[in-house]
Amino acid sequence: MKLLTLLLYLLALPALAQEGVLRGRVLDADTHQPIPNAQVGIGGNRLGTSTNLEGRFALRVPAAYQASELEIALLGYRPYRRPLPPLPSAELLIELRSSPASLGTVTVTASAEGIIREAVARIPLNYPVRPTQLTGFYRESDDEATRQRYDYLVEGLLRVYKPGYQQPDEPGQVQVLQSRRVDLRPAQPGAALAPINWVAGAFVPHRFDFVHTRAEFISARHFKNYQYRLSPQTTFQGRAVYVITFGPRPGTDRANFAGEVYIDEQSYAFLGARWHRTPAGIRRERMLVFDASERAYRTDYQVYAGRYYLKSIWYNTLGKPLAGQVRHHLAEFVTTAIDTAQAALPGYQARSQYTDIFLDNPAPYDSTFWQHYTTVLPPQALLDQARQHQADTLLRRPAPTAILAAPAPKKWGLLRHLRYTYTGGLLGVRVPATDLRMVLAPAGSTFRADAQAATAVQGLAMQYAFGVQLDFTPQLAAYATTRHLLGQLRGDGWEAGLGYAHNLNPYGRPLRARAGLAYLRQSVGQELGTFANSDADLRLAGTPLAADELTLSLQVITDALQPRLGLGLEVSHHWEAVADLGYLLPLRTRSQLLIEEKKGFFSFSQHAADLDLPAAEARVFVAGQPATEAPWQLGRLLLSVGVLYRLGQ
C-alpha cells in the first residue's frame, strides 16, 4: 500500500508542478496609484478576474493556459499585454498608461419602456451566449433584528455554471468548493420553536441574475403591469446610463416588484438594478412559515472581453417567523474569477440541489485548497460592512479572503447510510366468486361461531408498504419492508432481501437500474364476522382468548422468493423515485383461521390465535362443500411505485 501511494504521488508531481497562481498589482503609470476594477485575462480572455481596491489580483492558471499572454484592460487606459511568466512567480508590478476615451453625446428620444425593450433585445449581443464558469465568494447569515443577535453565519467559495444568456429557461448548476460556518442556535430540543432553514442559498447567483432569468420587470409579458419612468440620474459607477424607475402601473396590483434599473447609454447593456418586492408581491410568495415585511435585491454586472458578466448580488429579507422575534436574513455573492472556456459540468453528486440548506452543506476541507483559487475580492464587494465586521469577529479571521475553516461534520454515523421507503402498488391475487361458511366449535368450551360470507372475482389487490434500506455501497443495499393490503381481501406481510443498483446516467441525474432478491411472507384474508365470547377460559392453539368479543378471519399465508427488477430516478440528493416489478416463487402456502380479541380503543393488549387448517375445532365450507383451505391464492406479480428518502448526505 505504501509503495502504491508513493507511485501515485510521483505520478502526480508533474501535474502539480504545471499549475500555479498568477499574482500581480496594477498601478497608474503617471500617479502610481492602484487601479481597481481593471479586467485581467489570459488565454484570449477565456479565463479572468478583476483587480481589488488595492489594484491586486490573483488567478489560478491551469497548465493549458501557461503559454498564453496576460491581458489587462480598463476604459481610459491603453491595453496591456505580455507573455505569462513561469509559475509560480513573484507578484507582478504592472503600470497602465492613460488613453482617455470620449463617451460622446446621446440624445434620448425613446420612451423608458422602449429603452427597456431595446436592452432586452440586445442581451444576446451584450452577454455571453456560451456557457460560462464563475468562481465567487458567498456569505449568508440570519440574526434577530432588534438585538442583532446572530443565529448563524456561513460563507464559502462557489463554482457557478451559467448557460448562455439567450437561454433564460436553463437554470444552471452550482458546486460548493469550500465553506465554513458558526451556528449559534440553541442546541436543546424545544429551545427554538420554529427555526428557519433557508434553502437554495447557493443558487443566489442564478435566482437573482435578473438579466438571465428575464425577471418580471424586464419581461414583455408583464410590461402591462408596470409603469416605467426616466430618472434625472445619468451616471452609475462612473458610466453614462439611463436610470429607469419601475413600479406597479396605477390601477393594478399585479406587479410584484418596484425599483430602478441601470442601462448603458452606448451598448444598452444592463449594468445593474436595485429592486424590492411590493406588498402584493410578498403576499403572492406565500411563505407559509415566515411573514416577510421586506424582500430587497441588488445585482451588478461587469464588462470583460467585450461581454457583461455577473459581478455581485445582495439579497435581504426582514420578517417574523411563526414563532419568535423579527429576523433579518442576508445573502451576498461576488464573482472573483471568470472562465469562458467550455468547462465540463461537475458530476451530479457534486452539484448543489435547489432545496439544499447552505448552513448544512457537506463541502470537505483541504488546508491547501485556497492556494489554488482566486480569493481576492473586488473593491466594496460585500455591501454590508457591519456584517463584515461581525463575520471577522465570529469566524475569527483577518479578512474575507482568508482560508475558510471546515464545517463541523454531522454525526450521522450509521444513519447516513439509511434510507426510508414509501411505496404503493398492486399485488396479484386469484379470487373466485363463491360462498363461504365457517363453523368453529372448540371441544370442552361453550363458545360457538357459525359465520357466512361471499367473495367476488378479483385478480389484483391494492397494497402499500413502508420500509428501511441500509446502503453498504452506492450499489449494494439490504432492505426490509412491511406491506398491507386494501379492499375486499386484507392482509399484512413483510419482505427482506438484498438489492443492487447500477447508474445508467453517470454524467447527469442518476437513473438507476434496480435488481433484487427477497424472502417474502404475505397473508391474504377475509374477515368473517365478530361473535360474543361466552367462555372466559377459552384457549385456542395455546393462546388464551378472554375478551367479550372475538373476530374471525380466514386467510392464506404464503412464503415465497421474490426476484425483482426496476428503475430509480434521483429527484434530489435526498429523494429518489422508484418503480419495481417482482415475480413471486412460492415456497409454502397454508390456510389459517385467525381468531382475534376485540378490545376497546384504549386497550393495549390484544391476543390472537392462528389455527392451521384442517383443524378438529373448525370446519370450512366453500360453495356448500367441505374444504380444507381458503378458495383464493396469492398471484405471481407484485408492482410497487414509490420513493426512497435518504436521511443524511
Side-chain angles (χ1 to χ4, degrees):
M1 180 59 72
K2 290 183 178 179
L3 180 61
L4 178 60
T5 302
L6 178 61
L7 288 173
L8 292 175
Y9 175 76
L10 292 175
L11 290 172
L13 281 179
L16 293 174
Q18 292 176 359
E19 185 179 78
V21 177
L22 176 67
R23 300 182 184 276
R25 193 179 191 197
V26 181
L27 305 177
D28 187 293
D30 297 323
T31 65
H32 301 290
Q33 295 298 310
I35 299 178
N37 287 325
Q39 306 304 306
V40 180
I42 62 173
N45 283 319
R46 285 191 170 186
L47 183 68
T49 186
S50 58
T51 57
N52 69 359
L53 190 60
E54 298 176 347
R56 286 190 163 87
F57 65 88
L59 192 62
R60 181 178 63 91
V61 182
Y65 290 105
Q66 290 193 10
S68 304
E69 281 192 330
L70 168 66
E71 304 176 35
I72 300 178
L74 184 64
L75 186 65
Y77 290 89
R78 297 175 186 175
Y80 175 92
R81 292 184 179 86
R82 61 160 288 180
L84 286 178
L87 298 177
S89 67
E91 184 180 64
L92 301 178
L93 185 62
I94 300 162
E95 294 186 339
L96 299 186
R97 298 194 176 276
S98 63
S99 176
S102 173
L103 292 176
T105 303
V106 179
T107 302
V108 178
T109 58
S111 67
E113 183 179 313
I115 295 172
I116 294 282
R117 289 181 180 273
E118 182 65 21
V120 172
R122 294 197 190 187
I123 287 176
L125 301 176
N126 288 322
Y127 295 84
V129 295
R130 290 161 34 113
T132 306
Q133 176 181 295
L134 305 179
T135 302
F137 182 87
Y138 175 78
R139 173 178 293 149
E140 175 184 310
S141 64
D142 208 53
D143 65 86
E144 189 177 315
T146 54
R147 294 188 293 173
Q148 294 187 338
R149 181 179 61 81
Y150 279 78
D151 272 354
Y152 71 84
L153 193 145
V154 57
E155 57 189 27
L157 190 71
L158 307 182
R159 181 175 286 158
V160 181
Y161 299 83
K162 300 191 77 68
Y165 276 67
Q166 82 281 15
Q167 299 171 321
D169 295 330
E170 292 194 19
Q173 302 292 343
V174 177
Q175 182 181 6
V176 181
L177 300 177
Q178 186 68 290
S179 70
R180 71 170 181 176
R181 70 184 178 203
V182 56
D183 190 346
L184 303 175
R185 296 182 296 183
Q188 297 82 6
L193 294 179
I196 299 296
N197 288 318
W198 299 91
V199 302
F203 280 79
V204 160
H206 293 307
R207 295 167 62 197
F208 306 124
D209 181 350
F210 73 92
V211 176
H212 186 269
T213 62
R214 305 299 196 273
E216 182 179 296
F217 52 85
I218 65 168
S219 170
R221 291 186 304 166
H222 299 278
F223 283 161
K224 62 182 181 295
N225 300 323
Y226 283 89
Q227 183 179 65
Y228 300 91
R229 298 180 184 274
L230 278 167
S231 169
Q233 181 182 344
T234 58
T235 61
F236 175 73
Q237 296 182 351
R239 304 190 64 166
V241 296
Y242 301 115
V243 180
I244 298 177
T245 62
F246 59 87
R249 188 180 295 274
T252 179
D253 67 347
R254 300 185 64 83
N256 290 316
F257 304 104
E260 58 186 22
V261 63
Y262 311 101
I263 300 174
D264 183 74
E265 284 188 358
Q266 290 187 319
S267 64
Y268 279 81
F270 292 102
L271 302 184
R274 312 287 183 266
W275 75 101
H276 62 271
R277 279 192 172 267
T278 62
I282 290 177
R283 289 195 301 272
R284 275 190 283 270
E285 267 196 305
R286 296 183 175 89
M287 299 178 69
L288 300 179
V289 297
F290 191 83
D291 184 12
S293 58
E294 178 184 329
R295 300 271 278 164
Y297 319 86
R298 293 182 61 174
T299 299
D300 295 332
Y301 299 88
Q302 58 187 333
V303 65
Y304 173 71
R307 298 274 177 168
Y308 287 85
Y309 296 84
L310 181 67
K311 178 181 179 181
S312 65
I313 287 176
W314 177 87
Y315 159 53
N316 188 69
T317 296
L318 191 68
K320 187 175 181 181
L322 292 179
Q325 302 297 318
V326 174
R327 311 213 65 77
H328 177 209
H329 178 74
L330 180 68
E332 292 188 84
F333 172 82
V334 58
T335 298
T336 60
I338 302 168
D339 188 347
T340 61
Q342 296 284 352
L345 289 173
Y348 180 82
Q349 294 299 330
R351 302 178 198 171
S352 292
Q353 298 286 336
Y354 189 87
T355 55
D356 287 348
I357 298 169
F358 193 80
L359 179 65
D360 295 335
N361 83 77
Y365 175 66
D366 176 4
S367 60
T368 64
F369 176 88
W370 291 94
Q371 298 176 18
H372 303 291
Y373 283 87
T374 302
T375 57
V376 179
L377 296 182
Q380 299 177 346
L382 300 174
L383 300 179
D384 193 325
Q385 296 303 309
R387 194 156 300 229
Q388 174 63 41
H389 175 72
Q390 291 287 344
D392 295 343
T393 301
L394 292 174
L395 296 170
R396 295 183 177 86
R397 63 185 181 85
T401 60
I403 296 176
L404 300 183
K410 284 192 173 182
K411 297 180 180 179
W412 292 109
L414 183 65
L415 292 179
R416 69 187 302 269
H417 297 286
L418 284 180
R419 291 202 280 178
Y420 300 102
T421 65
Y422 311 90
T423 61
L426 298 173
L427 177 65
V429 293
R430 294 194 291 269
V431 184
T434 189
D435 295 323
L436 293 175
R437 183 186 175 201
M438 188 278 304
V439 178
L440 178 62
S445 173
T446 60
F447 177 75
R448 296 289 185 274
D450 190 337
Q452 296 185 14
T455 60
V457 175
Q458 186 175 347
L460 294 172
M462 295 183 62
Q463 55 93 13
Y464 66 94
F466 304 99
V468 63
Q469 177 173 306
L470 176 62
D471 294 333
F472 299 124
T473 71
Q475 293 81 31
L476 185 64
Y479 70 93
T481 299
T482 62
R483 178 176 294 103
H484 311 275
L485 300 187
L486 301 172
Q488 173 184 216
L489 298 181
R490 303 295 181 96
D492 300 321
W494 59 266
E495 68 178 85
L498 295 174
Y500 178 82
H502 175 69
N503 187 7
L504 303 175
N505 187 28
Y507 302 107
R509 185 180 297 277
L511 177 65
R512 297 184 176 92
R514 294 161 50 87
L517 179 65
Y519 186 91
L520 174 145
R521 175 171 292 176
Q522 181 69 50
S523 68
V524 179
Q526 181 170 355
E527 186 175 312
L528 301 176
T530 299
F531 301 88
N533 181 12
S534 59
D535 186 355
D537 298 320
L538 179 64
R539 181 179 293 268
L540 287 172
T543 303
L545 302 169
D548 294 336
E549 292 184 315
L550 300 178
T551 299
L552 276 61
S553 302
L554 185 61
Q555 61 181 10
V556 173
I557 310 294
T558 301
D559 292 85
L561 289 178
Q562 181 201 185
R564 62 176 175 82
L565 295 174
L567 287 174
L569 177 65
E570 190 160 311
V571 180
S572 73
H573 287 166
H574 290 283
W575 292 94
E576 181 178 354
V578 295
D580 294 304
L581 181 64
Y583 187 81
L584 303 186
L585 302 173
L587 300 176
R588 185 175 67 146
T589 299
R590 61 191 185 278
S591 295
Q592 287 184 337
L593 182 62
L594 175 64
I595 306 98
E596 300 174 285
E597 292 183 335
K598 186 173 183 180
K599 296 227 175 182
F601 180 81
F602 295 102
S603 297
F604 297 99
S605 61
Q606 182 177 0
H607 295 131
D610 297 323
L611 196 61
D612 289 332
L613 299 179
E617 299 93 336
R619 290 178 295 161
V620 177
F621 300 88
V622 177
Q625 299 298 317
T628 59
E629 60 184 19
W632 54 80
Q633 292 182 346
L634 196 63
R636 294 299 182 94
L637 296 180
L638 195 162
L639 174 65
S640 296
V641 178
V643 294
L644 298 178
Y645 174 74
R646 179 185 289 110
L647 183 61
Q649 287 191 4

